[in-house]
Coordinates of all heavy atoms in Angstrom, one line a residue:
T1074 N 7.6 8.2 16.4 CA 8.1 9.5 16.0 C 8.4 10.3 17.2 O 7.7 10.4 18.1 CB 7.1 10.3 15.1 OG1 6.6 9.5 14.0 CG2 7.6 11.6 14.7
N1075 N 9.8 10.9 17.2 CA 10.3 11.7 18.3 C 10.3 13.1 17.6 O 11.1 13.3 16.7 CB 11.7 11.2 18.6 CG 12.3 12.1 19.7 OD1 11.6 12.6 20.5 ND2 13.6 12.3 19.6
Y1076 N 9.6 14.0 18.4 CA 9.6 15.4 17.8 C 10.8 16.2 18.6 O 10.9 16.1 19.8 CB 8.3 16.0 18.1 CG 7.1 15.6 17.2 CD1 6.3 14.5 17.6 CD2 7.0 16.2 16.0 CE1 5.4 14.1 16.6 CE2 6.1 15.7 15.0 CZ 5.3 14.6 15.4 OH 4.3 14.2 14.6
F1077 N 11.5 16.9 17.7 CA 12.7 17.6 18.1 C 13.6 16.6 18.5 O 13.9 16.4 19.9 CB 12.4 18.7 19.2 CG 11.6 19.9 18.7 CD1 10.6 20.4 19.3 CD2 11.9 20.5 17.4 CE1 9.7 21.5 18.8 CE2 11.2 21.5 17.0 CZ 10.1 22.0 17.6
S1078 N 14.3 15.9 17.7 CA 15.2 14.8 17.9 C 16.6 15.3 17.6 O 16.9 15.8 16.5 CB 14.8 13.6 16.9 OG 15.5 12.5 17.3
A1079 N 17.4 15.1 18.7 CA 18.8 15.7 18.6 C 19.7 14.7 17.9 O 19.6 13.6 18.1 CB 19.3 16.0 19.9
H1080 N 20.5 15.2 17.0 CA 21.5 14.3 16.3 C 22.7 14.5 17.0 O 23.5 15.6 16.7 CB 21.6 14.7 14.8 CG 22.5 13.8 14.0 ND1 22.6 13.9 12.7 CD2 23.4 12.9 14.4 CE1 23.4 13.1 12.3 NE2 24.0 12.4 13.3
D1081 N 23.1 13.7 17.9 CA 24.3 13.9 18.8 C 25.4 13.0 18.3 O 25.3 11.7 18.2 CB 24.0 13.4 20.2 CG 25.2 13.6 21.1 OD1 25.6 14.8 21.3 OD2 25.7 12.6 21.6
N1082 N 26.3 13.6 17.8 CA 27.5 12.7 17.1 C 28.8 12.9 17.9 O 29.8 12.5 17.5 CB 27.8 13.1 15.7 CG 28.0 14.6 15.6 OD1 28.2 15.3 16.5 ND2 28.0 15.1 14.2
D1083 N 28.9 13.6 19.0 CA 30.1 13.6 19.8 C 29.9 13.1 21.3 O 30.8 13.6 22.1 CB 30.6 15.0 19.7 CG 29.6 16.1 20.3 OD1 28.5 15.7 20.7 OD2 30.0 17.4 20.2
G1084 N 29.0 12.4 21.5 CA 28.9 11.8 22.8 C 28.4 12.7 24.0 O 28.3 12.2 25.1
N1085 N 28.0 14.0 23.6 CA 27.5 14.8 24.9 C 26.1 14.9 24.7 O 25.5 14.3 23.8 CB 28.2 16.2 24.9 CG 27.9 17.0 23.5 OD1 26.9 16.7 23.0 ND2 28.8 18.0 23.3
L1086 N 25.5 15.7 25.6 CA 24.0 15.9 25.7 C 23.7 17.3 25.4 O 22.9 17.9 26.1 CB 23.4 15.4 26.9 CG 23.5 14.0 27.3 CD1 23.0 13.6 28.7 CD2 22.7 13.1 26.2
K1087 N 24.5 17.8 24.4 CA 24.3 19.3 24.1 C 24.2 19.6 22.7 O 24.8 18.9 21.8 CB 25.5 20.1 24.5 CG 25.7 20.1 26.2 CD 26.7 21.1 26.6 CE 28.1 20.7 26.0 NZ 29.2 21.6 26.5
T1088 N 23.2 20.4 22.3 CA 23.0 20.9 20.9 C 23.3 22.4 20.9 O 22.7 23.2 21.7 CB 21.6 20.8 20.4 OG1 21.3 19.3 20.3 CG2 21.5 21.4 19.0
D1089 N 24.5 22.8 20.3 CA 25.0 24.1 20.5 C 24.7 25.0 19.3 O 24.6 24.7 18.2 CB 26.7 24.1 20.5 CG 27.1 23.1 21.5 OD1 26.3 23.0 22.6 OD2 28.2 22.6 21.4
I1090 N 24.1 26.2 19.8 CA 23.7 27.3 18.9 C 24.7 28.5 19.2 O 24.6 29.1 20.4 CB 22.2 27.6 19.0 CG1 21.4 26.5 18.5 CG2 21.9 28.9 18.2 CD1 20.0 26.6 18.6
I1091 N 25.4 29.0 18.3 CA 26.2 30.1 18.5 C 25.7 31.4 18.1 O 25.2 31.5 17.0 CB 27.7 29.7 17.8 CG1 28.0 28.3 18.0 CG2 28.7 30.8 18.3 CD1 28.2 27.8 19.3
L1092 N 25.8 32.4 19.0 CA 25.4 33.8 18.7 C 26.5 34.7 18.7 O 27.6 34.4 19.5 CB 24.3 34.3 19.8 CG 23.1 33.3 20.0 CD1 22.3 33.8 21.2 CD2 22.3 33.1 18.9
D1093 N 26.5 35.8 18.0 CA 27.5 36.7 18.2 C 27.4 37.6 19.4 O 26.3 37.5 20.0 CB 27.8 37.6 16.9 CG 26.6 38.4 16.4 OD1 25.8 38.7 17.3 OD2 26.5 38.7 15.3
E1094 N 28.1 38.7 19.5 CA 28.0 39.5 20.7 C 26.8 40.3 20.8 O 26.3 40.7 21.7 CB 29.2 40.5 20.8 CG 30.5 39.7 21.3 CD 31.6 40.8 21.4 OE1 31.9 41.5 20.6 OE2 32.3 40.8 22.6
N1095 N 26.1 40.5 19.6 CA 24.9 41.3 19.6 C 23.6 40.4 19.6 O 22.5 40.9 19.5 CB 24.9 42.1 18.2 CG 26.0 43.1 18.1 OD1 26.3 43.8 19.0 ND2 26.7 43.2 16.9
G1096 N 23.8 39.0 19.7 CA 22.7 38.2 19.8 C 22.3 37.7 18.5 O 21.3 36.9 18.5
R1097 N 23.0 37.9 17.4 CA 22.5 37.4 16.1 C 23.2 36.0 15.9 O 24.3 35.7 16.4 CB 23.0 38.3 15.0 CG 22.6 37.8 13.6 CD 23.0 38.7 12.6 NE 22.7 38.3 11.2 CZ 23.0 38.9 10.1 NH1 23.5 40.1 10.2 NH2 22.6 38.4 8.9

Side-chain angles (χ1 to χ4, degrees):
T1074 302
N1075 176 37
Y1076 286 92
F1077 293 131
S1078 188
H1080 183 171
D1081 181 67
N1082 56 12
D1083 55 4
N1085 66 18
L1086 291 177
K1087 296 189 295 183
T1088 298
D1089 302 333
I1090 296 177
I1091 315 300
L1092 310 174
D1093 64 20
E1094 285 186 304
N1095 297 317
R1097 180 178 178 177

